[in-house]
Each structure stands twice: as structure tokens, then as C-alpha cells.
Amino acid sequence: MVILTSVLATGALTLTACGSRDDNGGSDGNDGGDSTTLTIGVDAPLSGENSQTGLGIQYGAQIAVDDANEKNLVPGVKFKIKALDDKAQPATGQSNATDLTGDQSVVGAVGPLNSGVAQSMLQVFSAANMVQISPANTNPELTQGKNWQTDKKRPYKTYFRTSTTDELQGSYAADYAFNGLKKKNAFVVDDKQTYGAGLAKIFNEQYKKLGGKVVGTDHVNTGDKDFGSLVTKIKNSKADLLYYGGQYDEAQLITKQLKDAGVKIPLFAGDGTFSTTYIETAGAAAEGDLVTAIGVPADTLPAAKDFIAEYKEKGYKGDYGAYGTYAYDATTAIIKAVKAAMDANDGKLPEMNELRPKVVDEVQKSDFEGLTGKVSFDEYGDTTNKQLTVYQVEKGEWKAVKTGTAELG
């Protein structure tokens, strides 16, 4: 797995009163001469399951840092990325969070991809007063608490996300399935994980509210390869739609085995399945399948054109389409917060124990035009950008078929 050569070893840079000095030896980087270097951590699955989307997050953040450095967005400060692989495992994510908060050059973190991994990291970042912005987490509990459906309470003020929640995504999918596709009988499956189970639950509830019938439910395990018994259940249920809550790793096998068994119904999933790998693995079986994804198509956003061109030109691996631009905006929010903290401190970089909490406060105040649209956060740390898009596989490619916002009922 390719790891950026610019990634810093843990503790390699230790900040003094105003940050680490550059290799040429300078005072504090704020006098127009040498520059201070700060690190932005990235946590995502960079190998194994979900790695295509994880790499899109890593390199989206890298491009944001490169652009900020080139434009001298924060005078006297340069930024570097420290990317850690969580392998989509909560325990590894927690260890990575400890690594990042223990590195005194790290001012904030972008990631992770998986909501279940995020749950293991929140307390670590909170204890260190370090900002964490996920470009991909969608489980409502992360920002609104366990009782979010009846009593919303923000658990951690250090956690933010540039992606909208499953409450909206699941509802948007249910509406399109029932009113757009005219599918009246759905079979609902999830992978038992925080993201997948939560998304499937919301789809199930909203679909039935709209008048649809859930003719069966089931669960799978991440890493499963044989879905023969599940296929039989779906076939016997006479469902005209399969809704799946989970990642593309299992979804791509389920849809292939389903179609091979003669069950010609579409699989509809969330943003965890929005990957080119899904189509490449499932092949012709993916034709007609659908997903919901956050925001509007990246290739339709004027501000994202340069990002896409740079991503391709540099030959970065992974899939930028799902979360790359959201990682870019999350990284930029941290960088802009550093600048705001400096501006409020007479143009000087505060010591790290003061800088980290100040960055948290400044991220909360974010209000700028990013690649994905306006970047700002509500009182829970959720993005104020609620747009979603339904994509469908047409002739071997994801094609946007509807963009809008969910109406909760």
C-alpha cells in the first residue's frame, strides 16, 4: 500500500512555544522567514476492506494541504499529512487516535470512514481537545447522542462531519424506492455494523411509513463470501427490491449471487456501496443497482474540477468520487481554523495546548465555500449541507438520477 512520503513519524516534530521550526532553523516561522510545520492526521482504511474509499479520503486531504501550502493560506505555517490505516477496525482506529493526539505536531484529524470506528475514537480526541472532522460518517448517534430520535444531545464538541446523516439518507432512499422506483415490497439486509444496521433501520421505518411492505429482513457478517441462504430467502419472499445497509465488499457479492440465481431485482444501498469497485466486481449483475450518496456529483461542481484534475494527474489510488471532496473540505476547515486562531492571537501561533481547543472553537464557526458547497456546522457538529444524490448503474457506470434533500415524515 502506497503511503505518502510526506507522512511524519509519530513525535518527529515537537512544537515549542510557537510550533516546530523548519529544517533550515528559524525562530518561530511567524516573522516572514522560516515556516512552522503543523500536521493534520488522517485516519481511514488504507488497506483491505473499504480501502478504495479510504484512499480517496487520504488523498483528498493531501490535495487540500498541498493547495493551502502553495497558496500560503496561513502565512508562516506549512502543513503536512500523517495518514494512519485503521483497516476498518474500531480497535485500530482507537489506537490511531491515541497516536495522533500523542503527537505534539498534530493540530487536528480528518476521518474516519466507518461510523463504528468513529465511536471508538471520539473520547480520545475529546480528552485531548483536538478537532476531528469526518468526511464520511453518517450515523446520527455520533453527533446527536444515543437518543437522537427523541432527545438530541451532542456528546462531544470536538467531533464534526462534512457528510449528512443516515436519518436523511435512509429517508431519501425510502422515498425514491417507493415513489420513484414504484417498488412496493422490499427485503432489508444489514451487516450488523453501526453504519449498516443504522441505515437499514431508518430505511425500514421510513419505507413502511410511506406505504411500502418489508417482506423480510436478515443480517450478514462482514467478510462473508457465500450468501446462498440469503439469496434463497429473498427469492422466496417475492421482493421487488433488496435494500442493503453496509459496505461494497459484501454488497457486490450479494448482488452477483442474487442475479446468478435468477432473482432480477435491484440492490439499493447507501454511500458505503458507492464505489467503482462495486461495479468492477459485480460486473453485469450490478446493472440497474442503486445507491444514495452525500452531496451532489463531484464532477458537476465547478469548484471541484481542479481537484479532480489534480487527483488524476498525480495518479492517486482509490476512489475520490465518494468522499474525496468532503475530505478536502474537512481538511480546509482545520487549516482555516488555525489561521483564525492565529489572527485572534496577534498573528502568532499559540502553543499546542492552547491551539488545539482554539481550533475546535474556530471549526464550529466555519463558514466558507468549499468544493462541495457551503461548509458550516450546526449546534451538533453536523454539516448544514443536506443534499443527497441517488445513483444508478447504467452501462457499467454510476449515473446520477436524482439530487435533492430528504423530507422527514
Side-chain angles (χ1 to χ4, degrees):
M1 184 56 57
V2 177
I3 302 297
L4 293 177
T5 55
S6 62
V7 170
L8 300 176
T10 304
L13 287 172
T14 303
L15 294 180
T16 57
C18 292
S20 64
R21 294 184 293 181
D22 71 357
D23 293 337
N24 296 321
S27 56
D28 60 13
N30 296 313
D31 57 3
D34 301 312
S35 63
T36 299
T37 299
L38 295 178
T39 306
I40 296 177
V42 173
D43 176 89
L46 308 180
S47 63
E49 291 190 0
N50 313 154
S51 60
Q52 287 300 301
T53 42
L55 288 167
I57 290 173
Q58 176 185 355
Y59 294 123
Q62 182 63 54
I63 292 175
V65 161
D66 291 343
D67 287 353
N69 288 339
E70 182 180 348
K71 297 172 183 176
N72 195 29
L73 198 60
V74 184
V77 177
K78 294 297 182 183
F79 296 90
K80 288 189 176 182
I81 289 292
K82 177 175 182 173
L84 301 179
D85 182 6
D86 63 34
K87 299 179 174 63
Q89 299 297 320
T92 306
Q94 185 177 53
S95 176
N96 289 349
T98 300
D99 184 327
L100 292 173
T101 56
D103 183 340
Q104 289 303 301
S105 73
V106 179
V107 70
V110 174
L113 166 68
N114 308 86
S115 292
V117 175
Q119 284 183 324
S120 72
M121 307 173 83
L122 298 178
Q123 178 60 47
V124 178
F125 284 113
S126 177
N129 285 318
M130 182 189 290
V131 73
Q132 174 190 10
I133 310 178
S134 172
N137 297 159
T138 54
N139 187 277
E141 288 188 17
L142 299 174
T143 49
Q144 301 170 23
K146 291 184 178 180
N147 300 318
W148 63 270
Q149 290 179 302
T150 56
D151 184 24
K152 293 182 180 181
K153 290 183 179 178
R154 187 176 185 178
Y156 302 100
K157 73 171 188 176
T158 52
Y159 176 80
F160 301 80
R161 53 178 152 202
T162 51
S163 57
T164 194
T165 71
D166 289 334
E167 179 182 17
L168 298 178
Q169 188 175 185
S171 299
Y172 196 67
D175 177 73
Y176 190 78
F178 187 78
N179 294 314
L181 299 176
K182 307 299 182 183
K183 301 295 185 181
K184 308 304 181 186
N185 299 285
F187 197 104
V188 180
V189 179
D190 69 71
D191 64 359
K192 304 179 187 177
Q193 302 300 303
T194 301
Y195 161 74
L199 185 58
K201 181 176 183 289
I202 294 167
F203 174 89
N204 190 325
E205 293 172 350
Q206 293 297 322
Y207 185 73
K208 288 189 289 189
K209 282 184 182 180
L210 291 167
K213 183 179 181 182
V214 175
V215 295
T217 62
D218 206 350
H219 313 279
V220 299
N221 298 304
T222 56
D224 283 354
K225 305 295 183 185
D226 184 355
F227 300 99
S229 61
L230 173 63
V231 167
T232 299
K233 291 179 183 178
I234 297 171
K235 186 174 184 178
N236 292 338
S237 75
K238 306 300 182 184
D240 55 11
L241 175 79
L242 167 61
Y243 187 80
Y244 180 69
Q247 305 290 340
Y248 64 81
D249 303 271
E250 289 73 39
Q252 63 199 12
L253 299 179
I254 292 173
T255 199
K256 190 173 191 308
Q257 292 174 32
L258 195 65
K259 310 297 174 50
D260 287 347
V263 186
K264 307 298 184 181
I265 63 173
L267 181 147
F268 199 168
D271 55 329
T273 298
F274 183 45
S275 171
T276 55
T277 303
Y278 176 83
I279 301 174
E280 292 167 358
T281 302
E287 196 71 15
D289 287 352
L290 306 104
V291 297
T292 47
I294 57 175
V296 302
D299 57 7
T300 67
L301 295 165
K305 289 183 178 179
D306 289 342
F307 168 85
I308 295 171
E310 185 172 352
Y311 197 104
K312 292 179 177 179
E313 180 183 343
K314 291 185 175 179
Y316 286 148
K317 294 184 178 181
D319 187 354
Y320 67 82
Y323 308 113
T325 53
Y326 291 89
Y328 182 103
D329 284 349
T331 307
T332 301
I334 294 174
I335 292 170
K336 285 181 174 292
V338 170
K339 184 178 188 305
M342 282 182 59
D343 289 346
N345 193 46
D346 296 325
K348 297 179 181 179
L349 195 67
E351 293 185 28
M352 186 55 77
N353 63 344
E354 297 178 352
L355 180 59
R356 285 179 174 177
K358 288 181 182 295
V359 167
V360 172
D361 292 339
E362 295 299 338
V363 166
Q364 182 67 64
K365 302 174 188 175
S366 295
D367 186 4
F368 65 93
E369 286 297 321
L371 300 187
T372 60
K374 183 179 179 180
V375 178
S376 61
F377 305 98
D378 64 17
E379 67 269 33
Y380 302 103
D382 284 326
T383 178
T384 57
N385 185 348
K386 310 296 185 183
Q387 289 182 302
L388 292 156
T389 298
V390 175
Y391 294 84
Q392 187 166 29
V393 180
E394 296 180 10
K395 297 180 180 179
E397 295 182 349
W398 289 116
K399 299 292 186 182
V401 295
K402 181 184 179 184
T403 296
T405 55
E407 296 295 333
L408 299 177

